[in-house]
Amino acid sequence: MSASGEEAEEAADDLLATAEARARLNCPSCGSAHVAQVLGDNGGVSYVCTACGHSWS
């Protein structure tokens, strides 16, 4: 495999790891996996637990 092919494979692995980490997101307050990703007023990303209402960013 060429160097650029290896770099592309590593980039794909990084994207997959990020997606898997997002999929395992749990509420730090109650531990529930029922978490919604929301956009804040300033364009930032926040999270809200739909089980207990806790929010964080």
PDB file of all heavy atoms in Angstrom, residues 8 17 23 28-29 39:
ATOM      1  N   ALA A   8      -4.772   7.629   4.327  1.00  0.00           N
ATOM      2  CA  ALA A   8      -6.221   7.628   4.148  1.00  0.00           C
ATOM      3  C   ALA A   8      -6.871   6.595   5.063  1.00  0.00           C
ATOM      4  O   ALA A   8      -7.925   6.851   5.648  1.00  0.00           O
ATOM      5  CB  ALA A   8      -6.581   7.350   2.695  1.00  0.00           C
ATOM      6  N   ALA A  17     -13.399   5.890  15.001  1.00  0.00           N
ATOM      7  CA  ALA A  17     -13.225   5.968  16.449  1.00  0.00           C
ATOM      8  C   ALA A  17     -14.036   7.118  17.029  1.00  0.00           C
ATOM      9  O   ALA A  17     -14.652   6.990  18.086  1.00  0.00           O
ATOM     10  CB  ALA A  17     -11.751   6.115  16.799  1.00  0.00           C
ATOM     11  N   ALA A  23     -21.330   7.529  19.783  1.00  0.00           N
ATOM     12  CA  ALA A  23     -22.412   6.567  19.954  1.00  0.00           C
ATOM     13  C   ALA A  23     -22.482   6.061  21.391  1.00  0.00           C
ATOM     14  O   ALA A  23     -23.549   5.660  21.847  1.00  0.00           O
ATOM     15  CB  ALA A  23     -22.238   5.405  18.988  1.00  0.00           C
ATOM     16  N   PRO A  28     -23.364  12.313  32.235  1.00  0.00           N
ATOM     17  CA  PRO A  28     -22.460  12.261  33.387  1.00  0.00           C
ATOM     18  C   PRO A  28     -23.200  12.322  34.721  1.00  0.00           C
ATOM     19  O   PRO A  28     -22.639  11.986  35.756  1.00  0.00           O
ATOM     20  CB  PRO A  28     -21.573  13.496  33.203  1.00  0.00           C
ATOM     21  CG  PRO A  28     -22.365  14.417  32.354  1.00  0.00           C
ATOM     22  CD  PRO A  28     -23.221  13.548  31.478  1.00  0.00           C
ATOM     23  N   SER A  29     -24.465  12.710  34.689  1.00  0.00           N
ATOM     24  CA  SER A  29     -25.238  12.816  35.917  1.00  0.00           C
ATOM     25  C   SER A  29     -25.911  11.490  36.294  1.00  0.00           C
ATOM     26  O   SER A  29     -25.757  11.013  37.413  1.00  0.00           O
ATOM     27  CB  SER A  29     -26.287  13.913  35.771  1.00  0.00           C
ATOM     28  OG  SER A  29     -27.018  14.077  36.953  1.00  0.00           O
ATOM     29  N   LEU A  39     -27.690  22.360  19.307  1.00  0.00           N
ATOM     30  CA  LEU A  39     -26.875  23.524  18.979  1.00  0.00           C
ATOM     31  C   LEU A  39     -27.214  24.652  19.938  1.00  0.00           C
ATOM     32  O   LEU A  39     -28.381  24.959  20.161  1.00  0.00           O
ATOM     33  CB  LEU A  39     -27.121  23.970  17.539  1.00  0.00           C
ATOM     34  CG  LEU A  39     -26.690  22.981  16.468  1.00  0.00           C
ATOM     35  CD1 LEU A  39     -27.061  23.523  15.095  1.00  0.00           C
ATOM     36  CD2 LEU A  39     -25.200  22.735  16.548  1.00  0.00           C
TER      37      LEU A  39
END
